[in-house]
Amino acid sequence: MNISKSEMVKETSLKPSRRSLPCLAQSYTYSQSLSQSTSLFQSNESESQAPTSVTTVSIDKAAQVNAEENKKDSVLNCSFTDLSDFCLALEKDKDYTDESEHANYDRSRLIRDSVCKDKPEPKPKSLPKNDMNYIASSGLLFKDGKKRIDYILVYRKSNIQYDRRNTFEKNLRAEGLMLEKEPAVANTDIMFIKIHIPWDTLCKYAERLNIRMPFRKKCYFTDRRSKSMGRMKKNLKKIMKWMPQNPMALDKSAFPDLEELECYTGPFSRARIHHFIINNKDTFFSNATRSRIVYHMLQRTKYENGISKVGICKLINNGAYEAAFPPHEGAYKSRQPIKTHGPQNNRHLLYERWARWGMWYKHQPLDLIRRYFGEKIGLYFAWLGWYTGMLIPAAIVGLCVFFYGLFTMNGSQVSQEICAAAEVFMCPLCDKNCSLQRLNDSCIYAKVTYLFDNGGTVFFAIFMAIWATVFLEFWKRRRSILTYAWDLIEWEEEEETLRPQFEAKYYTMERVNPITGKPEPHQPFSDKITRLLVSVSGIFFMISLVITAVFAVVVYRLVVMEQFASFKWSFIKQHWQFATSAAGVCINFVIIMMLNVAYEKIAYLLTNLEYPRTESEWENSFALKMFLFQFVNLNSSIFYIAFFLGRFVGHPGNYNKLFNRWRLEECHPSGCLIDLCLQMGVIMFLKQIWNNFMELGYPLIQNWWSRHKIKRGIHDASLPQWENDWNLQPMNIHGLMDEYLEMVLQFGFTTIFVAAFPLAPLLALLNNIIEIRLDAYKFVTQWRRPLPARATDIGIWYGILEGIGILAVITNAFVIAITSDYIPRLVYEYKYGPCADQLENGDNCLKGYVNNSLSFFDLSELGIGKSGYCRYRDYRGPPWSSKPYEFTLQYWHILAARLAFIIVFEHLVFGIKSFIAFLIPDVPQDLYDRIRREKYLVQEMMYEAELEHLQQQRKKCGQPVHHEWP
């Protein structure tokens, strides 16, 4: 910026820059907020230093702290009486952010010195008296009725750790927080500590944490094309008004106007406070931001002498405090209907418009969820809603494949031959108690197998592989839109603070951070590798334990197989294979749920042993371990049935036996696919029921019991909001990990073995419709308010989903080629069937397939006193051939066809997936252009706002006003 003294004119207004003309039309409307912002620090001094009603701060200590702060702040205490002085101050302001960790500036003093004549600030309008009474009675304010409660600490009076608590609370006050104690109404042993963070402390820590705040309303650059498109959209909206309204759309009139979403934002700075839109200091920082700042302070406050004696989490773990949580904004129910009286608070609005079961068909209010619970939980519900919506086409196609098999089941050549084979006897499937079985006894199983193994199976497997890619690629676009709307574009992982446990462990080893240029604790490479090796060893040990459990279930199936074959009940004796599989599935499910409890604790210990640097690294490491444990736990038995059951049994007269004692289990005469469907269906159904009960049923029972005990102890007494929150269940200690893990495992069930169970997407869709409202109801009504955390994506789960998508292609190729009979039927149809020598396929090309797929065995070789021949599923030579019981040429043809199908299927699907991923950009082009333009405009607006601020100060001081060079 070049300035000439000859260009100074005393009463001339600022000439705006040509580059910022499109957006400066609105910039002058915020001059009123400037005068408000300059007096915010002044009006809050008395409040921030006032003692609370119960706990007080010593005057000497407070004066000492203020003296130290004033001493630091004197670095930037300059005046604006001279233009050169202002330029010097402006140069200092450029580097102010880099120095914010080392100096605490009080810009309110600088602003007071520069303002010669300032009008008194108009008092903000207070809430109606009845609203204030409601807020106070709900436990949202201190006893003075003015200071809002930002956080709650809970401890028991009978707990003897007085010194730790006193030291911790004393240090909290020294950091600038205000505390107020109040005993519980229902339990005299419980004491609550209400925490309020004053304005000056908020500003100081908002600056340290680089929290982005709004400073100018958005305005968009429009060219001729966008203007014409805007007119077309307006005309289209007029036409849409006459159309029936979408029943799934939200009623936007019922939701608050989220104006801060339409503002440019920048890192908050007390030195540039005049840039920001501060109409009311009580609402400038949202409840979520205030709670997040308080939690940051709680995590870094000492309670004893020593580096590692820091943080509220350690105090809760050692029992000094019972809990720490931000309060809900009030009750979620009201006696007056919301349509006539409106919502009492955001929690009430979320319940009425989102968490109620009657809203199951409505879209989710993601902006309000983000405002109340934070961006991290908002992104979870956005992803869950997107996943559920994308399941609709997958469920429809899967249902069509199922109905295709249902309608063509009776016309299937294979099913007709099996049902008509009354004179074909199958060899005994066990050694002692099994007898010869007619092939037509498997008629029902053959028809059920055809429902899942028909001509549409290959198409559906390819469709689901492409669907998984489309789902993930379009989610990236959806995520980019949300991160832009929620102002998360500039929020990066580098802004994350270190975990207190990491700081306490490695405080003696420091290195300069290459991003910030400041020293910070550092974990040596050798120490990191050693801890990772121990963690990986623990992971492999737990996976081997899972495989051992699956092996135990296999041994159980082998042992009880003959017992069920000789059972007294005729139904079980007749369907002993089905009874064996069903019992094995149920026992496997019980083992799965028992091992999950142990996995969670071991994964927690291994993750803490690694000492991750940040919270996101801890969450990613813990999530990866839990996924590996539970994925192997859930799918190991399914992989056994799909690829190992009945593959290595030998043949009659020469069966392979486990430990030379138990004969290996064979597939049903109609194939192994029915066992795979049973295993998947039972585990998926039972696990979803169990998860839903643990997520909602268990907290409901616990909360009901807590309310019952309170009602017995007190009568006709209303509890404040903080005590009602204390009686709710805390959010899971691992946050959203369990929610994501449940959905990701379901995604694996939906895609990995979908060729064997095309109804999996439909079951997942029905479950997710319930899951969304169940989670919403749980977050709003049954859980304490979780800490509002920020995030730009779903973390490591996206990488896991991509890995599952790749694994799904491979497993579906193997299921179609090995588990199902698709390839043997195809080889018979084109090589050995009646249509092998014809140019065109006929209607009965599979005629004789069942007889061709069964081999002969001489019963006299079994020594059971019977003669003749029995049949078994395999491609081996008959007893009268030159090489009896050896693999035939058809077996090798089928094996080669299976391998070729796997290679062709995988390359084809991977090629389609890669091409689709290439075609779909991660960020929409119009959004990409808007982000780049806004970065440019933000720089211009900061520049213009600084000049405007200078001009106003010079006018008030009676100094000449200057132009900028054109």
Side-chain angles (χ1 to χ4, degrees):
M1 182 179 67
N2 298 322
I3 301 174
S4 173
K5 292 184 179 181
S6 62
E7 293 291 326
M8 294 183 182
V9 183
K10 189 170 184 180
E11 293 294 332
T12 306
S13 60
L14 174 67
K15 181 179 179 181
S17 170
R18 293 194 188 101
R19 296 176 294 174
S20 57
L21 277 176
C23 279
L24 277 179
Q26 305 178 47
S27 63
Y28 298 101
T29 60
Y30 296 100
S31 58
Q32 296 180 356
S33 65
L34 174 65
S35 60
Q36 296 178 3
S37 62
T38 55
S39 59
L40 287 175
F41 288 107
Q42 301 176 11
S43 62
N44 196 63
E45 276 190 353
S46 58
E47 176 189 342
S48 62
Q49 298 177 5
T52 60
S53 58
V54 177
T55 60
T56 58
V57 185
S58 64
I59 299 176
D60 296 336
K61 187 168 295 183
Q64 183 180 357
V65 172
N66 291 334
E68 293 177 359
E69 292 288 329
N70 294 339
K71 184 177 180 180
K72 293 179 181 179
D73 296 340
S74 62
V75 179
L76 286 182
N77 192 9
C78 59
S79 74
F80 290 100
T81 57
D82 194 327
L83 178 62
S84 60
D85 292 340
F86 173 74
C87 294
L88 179 61
L90 188 61
E91 291 296 324
K92 289 184 178 181
D93 284 346
K94 291 180 180 178
D95 299 328
Y96 176 74
T97 305
D98 296 335
E99 300 295 327
S100 60
E101 291 290 330
H102 303 286
N104 299 321
Y105 301 108
D106 187 0
R107 297 297 294 180
S108 61
R109 187 182 302 107
L110 181 141
I111 293 172
R112 285 200 304 269
D113 292 341
S114 64
V115 178
C116 301
K117 297 179 181 180
D118 196 5
K119 296 181 180 180
E121 177 190 2
K123 294 183 179 180
K125 295 181 180 180
S126 60
L127 293 172
K129 186 176 180 180
N130 55 351
D131 291 345
M132 291 299 297
N133 292 336
Y134 169 76
I135 294 174
S137 63
S138 300
L140 300 176
L141 300 174
F142 274 27
K143 289 183 178 180
D144 60 4
K146 297 179 181 179
K147 303 180 186 66
R148 72 164 66 185
I149 299 175
D150 298 309
Y151 227 84
I152 296 291
L153 302 181
V154 187
Y155 70 89
R156 295 186 180 274
K157 298 178 184 178
S158 56
N159 189 288
I160 60 175
Q161 302 185 47
Y162 307 110
D163 295 337
R164 288 182 173 180
R165 286 198 300 268
N166 291 337
T167 304
F168 185 70
E169 294 165 14
K170 176 181 175 182
N171 292 335
L172 288 178
R173 298 189 197 101
E175 288 292 327
L177 295 179
M178 305 181 73
L179 311 180
E180 182 179 79
K181 294 184 179 180
E182 187 162 335
V185 177
N187 188 347
T188 56
D189 189 39
I190 297 295
M191 180 66 75
F192 296 98
I193 299 179
K194 298 175 283 185
I195 299 178
H196 168 75
I197 179 168
W199 170 256
D200 54 351
T201 308
L202 262 176
C203 294
K204 179 174 69 176
Y205 278 91
E207 188 175 27
R208 287 184 180 180
L209 299 177
N210 288 327
I211 295 178
R212 302 180 66 85
M213 300 304 295
F215 68 87
R216 190 66 55 86
K217 283 190 175 182
K218 287 185 178 181
C219 55
Y220 303 104
F221 174 77
T222 55
D223 54 10
R224 291 183 178 179
R225 180 175 179 273
S226 59
K227 287 181 179 178
S228 60
M229 292 297 293
R231 287 193 294 269
M232 290 177 60
K233 289 181 179 179
K234 288 182 180 180
N235 296 331
L236 184 61
K237 286 182 179 180
K238 292 180 181 179
I239 298 174
M240 293 297 293
K241 288 182 179 179
W242 297 95
M243 302 292 290
Q245 188 177 4
N246 183 6
M248 293 187 294
L250 290 169
D251 183 10
K252 295 184 178 180
S253 61
F255 291 92
D257 185 18
L258 305 177
E259 292 184 355
E260 68 272 13
L261 298 181
E262 297 299 324
C263 293
Y264 296 112
T265 60
F268 181 79
S269 170
R270 289 175 291 172
R272 300 182 178 93
I273 194 172
H274 49 273
H275 292 176
F276 298 93
I277 305 173
I278 309 178
N279 297 321
N280 186 350
K281 65 184 180 64
D282 293 328
T283 59
F284 178 63
F285 293 101
S286 65
N287 289 344
T289 303
R290 298 170 69 97
S291 300
R292 192 160 58 244
I293 292 175
V294 173
Y295 181 76
H296 174 85
M297 299 173 68
L298 293 174
Q299 280 288 76
R300 283 152 181 80
T301 302
K302 289 185 177 182
Y303 58 86
E304 276 185 2
N305 293 328
I307 296 296
S308 62
K309 307 296 184 179
V310 60
I312 186 63
C313 290
K314 287 191 175 182
L315 286 172
I316 293 176
N317 291 335
N318 60 35
Y321 289 95
E322 296 292 323
F325 53 88
H328 277 295
E329 293 185 4
Y332 65 87
K333 282 186 178 182
S334 175
R335 295 181 180 178
Q336 285 80 18
I338 191 173
K339 291 183 178 180
T340 57
H341 292 74
Q344 290 185 345
N345 49 69
N346 286 333
R347 187 189 185 194
H348 180 213
L349 182 60
L350 282 172
Y351 174 77
E352 292 290 341
R353 294 290 184 260
W354 178 50
R356 285 196 305 114
W357 296 104
M359 298 286 108
W360 67 270
Y361 61 95
K362 292 284 189 180
H363 293 158
Q364 301 184 90
L366 295 178
D367 290 333
L368 187 60
I369 297 171
R370 170 247 181 177
R371 168 187 277 191
Y372 193 80
F373 292 110
E375 289 81 1
K376 194 172 186 178
I377 294 177
L379 274 176
Y380 163 71
F381 281 104
W383 176 83
L384 181 57
W386 184 258
Y387 172 44
T388 304
M390 290 292 292
L391 279 174
I392 295 176
I396 292 174
V397 176
L399 202 60
C400 292
V401 172
F402 178 79
F403 278 116
Y404 168 78
L406 184 64
F407 292 143
T408 61
M409 180 173 55
N410 293 326
S412 171
Q413 182 67 31
V414 177
S415 300
Q416 290 178 358
E417 290 185 5
I418 291 177
C419 294
E423 301 301 326
V424 178
F425 292 90
M426 302 299 294
C427 296
L429 296 178
C430 58
D431 292 335
K432 297 180 181 179
N433 300 319
C434 297
S435 59
L436 297 176
Q437 183 181 0
R438 296 180 185 272
L439 181 58
N440 65 347
D441 292 342
S442 304
C443 179
I444 297 177
Y445 293 100
K447 292 183 177 180
V448 173
T449 301
Y450 181 78
L451 292 176
F452 307 103
D453 186 11
N454 53 63
T457 302
V458 178
F459 163 76
F460 189 55
I462 297 175
F463 172 82
M464 287 302 297
I466 297 174
W467 171 88
T469 301
V470 172
F471 160 65
L472 293 176
E473 292 300 321
F474 275 98
W475 161 248
K476 286 194 289 188
R477 291 170 64 88
R478 174 64 174 161
R479 184 199 68 84
S480 64
I481 294 173
L482 287 175
T483 52
Y484 167 77
W486 293 351
D487 193 34
L488 297 172
I489 298 296
E490 300 294 333
W491 190 84
E492 299 177 357
E493 185 179 353
E494 283 76 17
E495 296 181 33
E496 269 196 289
T497 54
L498 301 179
R499 296 181 72 235
Q501 295 85 347
F502 181 86
E503 291 180 313
K505 178 70 175 178
Y506 299 104
Y507 71 96
T508 58
M509 293 166 279
E510 290 186 346
R511 75 168 184 180
V512 177
N513 189 308
I515 306 299
T516 62
K518 300 173 184 177
E520 66 177 18
H522 169 66
Q523 184 180 16
F525 181 75
S526 59
D527 182 77
K528 186 175 184 178
I529 290 297
T530 303
R531 294 180 181 276
L532 283 177
L533 288 176
V534 174
S535 180
V536 171
S537 301
I539 292 174
F540 278 109
F541 172 76
M542 295 306 300
I543 291 177
S544 63
L545 185 61
V546 173
I547 297 175
T548 304
V550 173
F551 180 76
V553 174
V554 172
V555 173
Y556 164 81
R557 291 170 65 117
L558 299 179
V559 172
V560 302
M561 182 171 58
E562 296 187 0
Q563 303 299 325
F564 281 141
S566 61
F567 212 73
K568 295 181 180 179
W569 293 353
S570 59
F571 176 80
I572 294 181
K573 186 176 182 179
Q574 185 178 359
H575 305 281
W576 61 270
Q577 280 188 299
F578 177 79
T580 302
S581 299
V585 169
C586 294
I587 292 176
N588 186 42
F589 177 75
V590 173
I591 294 176
I592 287 172
M593 303 312 296
M594 292 175 61
L595 290 178
N596 281 347
V597 178
Y599 293 159
E600 184 174 348
K601 296 181 179 179
I602 293 175
Y604 189 79
L605 292 175
L606 292 177
T607 306
N608 286 335
L609 181 65
E610 295 174 7
Y611 281 98
R613 180 175 174 272
T614 61
E615 286 295 333
S616 62
E617 290 182 6
W618 189 97
E619 291 177 0
N620 291 341
S621 178
F622 182 75
L624 181 61
K625 292 180 181 62
M626 287 299 297
F627 170 75
L628 289 175
F629 290 159
Q630 295 211 17
F631 181 81
V632 175
N633 195 17
L634 281 174
N635 294 282
S636 54
S637 60
I638 298 176
F639 272 92
Y640 163 75
I641 294 175
F643 305 124
F644 296 98
L645 179 63
R647 306 295 168 193
F648 311 100
V649 296
H651 62 85
N654 188 23
Y655 284 113
N656 298 323
K657 294 187 177 182
L658 183 65
F659 303 133
N660 294 323
R661 180 176 180 181
W662 295 298
R663 174 179 160 184
L664 296 180
E665 188 178 2
E666 293 185 56
C667 292
H668 198 272
S670 60
C672 293
L673 201 63
I674 188 66
D675 293 322
L676 181 60
C677 295
L678 178 65
Q679 183 84 8
M680 288 186 61
V682 170
I683 290 181
M684 189 174 184
F685 180 74
L686 291 180
K687 193 171 189 306
Q688 287 179 351
I689 292 179
W690 176 258
N691 287 338
N692 291 339
F693 170 76
M694 293 302 296
E695 287 183 11
L696 183 61
Y698 185 66
L700 276 173
I701 294 174
Q702 287 187 315
N703 292 336
W704 172 83
W705 180 246
S706 298
R707 291 192 300 267
H708 179 69
K709 291 192 297 184
I710 292 172
K711 288 180 179 179
R712 289 191 305 177
I714 60 175
H715 302 281
D716 299 332
S718 60
L719 300 179
Q721 184 61 45
W722 67 75
E723 193 159 352
N724 286 325
D725 292 347
W726 161 247
N727 293 324
L728 297 177
Q729 297 302 308
M731 185 180 177
N732 193 300
I733 189 174
H734 308 309
L736 292 171
M737 194 278 301
D738 288 341
E739 314 297 332
Y740 275 118
L741 181 61
E742 178 186 354
M743 291 295 102
V744 170
L745 292 174
Q746 183 203 83
F747 180 81
F749 268 100
T750 306
T751 55
I752 291 179
F753 292 100
V754 74
F757 193 55
L759 292 180
L762 178 63
L763 293 180
L765 174 63
L766 297 176
N767 175 79
N768 287 6
I769 292 174
I770 300 173
E771 182 75 20
I772 290 176
R773 304 304 158 180
L774 186 147
D775 285 346
Y777 184 82
K778 176 179 61 180
F779 272 93
V780 174
T781 68
Q782 301 302 310
W783 277 1
R784 298 171 192 160
R785 188 176 184 179
L787 177 71
R790 306 201 83 187
T792 58
D793 52 27
I794 60 176
I796 197 174
W797 298 110
Y798 183 83
I800 293 175
L801 289 172
E802 284 190 324
I804 291 176
I806 295 173
L807 182 62
V809 177
I810 300 172
T811 53
N812 281 305
F814 276 87
V815 167
I816 295 172
I818 296 176
T819 310
S820 73
D821 290 336
Y822 177 78
I823 299 299
R825 291 198 301 264
L826 199 66
V827 172
Y828 178 81
E829 183 176 355
Y830 289 96
K831 180 66 177 176
Y832 298 96
C835 301
D837 298 329
Q838 300 179 8
L839 296 178
E840 296 182 0
N841 294 337
D843 296 334
N844 296 321
C845 291
L846 288 177
K847 186 177 181 180
Y849 167 75
V850 174
N851 183 63
N852 177 264
S853 64
L854 298 177
S855 300
F856 289 88
F857 181 75
D858 190 355
L859 286 174
S860 60
E861 299 182 20
L862 288 179
I864 58 176
K866 292 184 179 181
S867 60
Y869 297 100
C870 66
R871 311 294 294 273
Y872 61 97
R873 283 175 55 89
D874 211 340
Y875 293 92
R876 295 178 181 268
W880 58 82
S881 66
S882 59
K883 294 181 179 180
Y885 310 126
E886 295 290 333
F887 289 119
T888 63
L889 183 61
Q890 186 176 356
Y891 170 83
W892 300 109
H893 285 167
I894 292 175
L895 180 61
R898 282 173 167 166
L899 296 177
F901 175 83
I902 291 173
I903 294 173
V904 172
F905 182 89
E906 289 181 358
H907 283 72
L908 175 64
V909 175
F910 280 134
I912 296 174
K913 285 167 64 72
S914 302
F915 181 68
I916 292 176
F918 172 76
L919 288 180
I920 303 175
D922 295 347
V923 181
Q925 184 61 39
D926 58 340
L927 179 61
Y928 178 74
D929 295 338
R930 182 180 296 181
I931 292 173
R932 292 183 62 191
R933 176 160 179 80
E934 286 191 6
K935 287 183 178 179
Y936 167 77
L937 290 178
V938 165
Q939 294 177 354
E940 292 296 310
M941 289 177 184
M942 297 290 284
Y943 168 75
E944 298 292 347
E946 200 68 50
L947 289 180
E948 180 185 354
H949 180 60
L950 166 65
Q951 191 178 75
Q952 291 181 359
Q953 300 305 321
R954 296 182 66 85
K955 280 184 178 181
K956 291 180 180 179
C957 296
Q959 296 181 356
V961 181
H962 69 277
H963 285 294
E964 65 167 335
W965 282 105

